[in-house]
């Protein structure tokens, strides 16, 4: 938990992907997230949290379905959405919060 707090307290956007191994849409998001990271490089951190292995953390952030994405910056939650997202949506979202 303290490690998670450190990670989301960065000065750059941190996109957290709450996922599960058994989740089909989560598997679809994996290559999309890799493309987002490739496009944005060091401008964003992307963290994947397995809800089955981190139930307390998922409960703390009220994750009811997977995938759920939460964007943090300096420890503050800036945005949240569940479901499959397109690469361009995620890139634009991160870029809006870089400044």
């Amino acid at each position: 938990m303290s490690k998670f707090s450190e990670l989301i307290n960065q000065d750059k956007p941190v996109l957290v992907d709450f996922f599960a191994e058994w989740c089909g849409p989560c598997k679809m998001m994996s290559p999309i997230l890799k493309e987002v990271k490739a496009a944005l490089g060091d401008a964003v951190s992307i963290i994947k949290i397995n809800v089955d292995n981190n139930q307390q953390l998922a409960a703390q952030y009220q994750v009811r379905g997977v995938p759920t994405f939460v964007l943090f910056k300096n420890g503050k939650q800036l945005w949240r959405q569940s479901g499959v997202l397109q690469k361009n949506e995620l890139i634009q979202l991160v870029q809006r919060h870089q400044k």
Side-chain angles (χ1 to χ4, degrees):
M1 286 295 274
S2 62
K3 178 91 171 121
F4 183 77
S5 294
E6 281 176 40
L7 291 170
I8 64 170
N9 265 302
Q10 296 181 50
D11 194 31
K12 63 182 177 182
V14 179
L15 182 64
V16 180
D17 172 16
F18 288 96
F19 78 101
E21 293 293 337
W22 46 263
C23 163
C26 298
K27 290 179 179 143
M28 289 171 47
M29 285 305 302
S30 197
I32 293 171
L33 291 172
K34 284 187 174 105
E35 290 176 23
V36 169
K37 182 63 178 168
L40 294 172
D42 290 338
V44 66
S45 291
I46 298 176
I47 303 167
K48 293 176 73 65
I49 303 288
N50 185 322
V51 295
D52 292 328
N53 298 341
N54 298 281
Q55 293 178 356
Q56 184 181 357
L57 194 59
Q60 180 182 337
Y61 287 95
Q62 300 174 344
V63 175
R64 303 274 183 257
V66 286
T68 292
F69 300 94
V70 184
L71 187 71
F72 293 94
K73 186 173 179 184
N74 297 319
K76 292 186 179 70
Q77 181 177 314
L78 303 174
W79 170 91
R80 173 191 185 114
Q81 187 169 326
S82 296
V84 174
L85 297 162
Q86 299 306 311
K87 175 180 89 169
N88 291 341
E89 285 180 84
L90 288 168
I91 290 172
Q92 289 171 358
L93 169 78
V94 169
Q95 288 174 333
R96 275 199 309 268
H97 291 93
Q98 280 179 314
K99 294 166 179 46

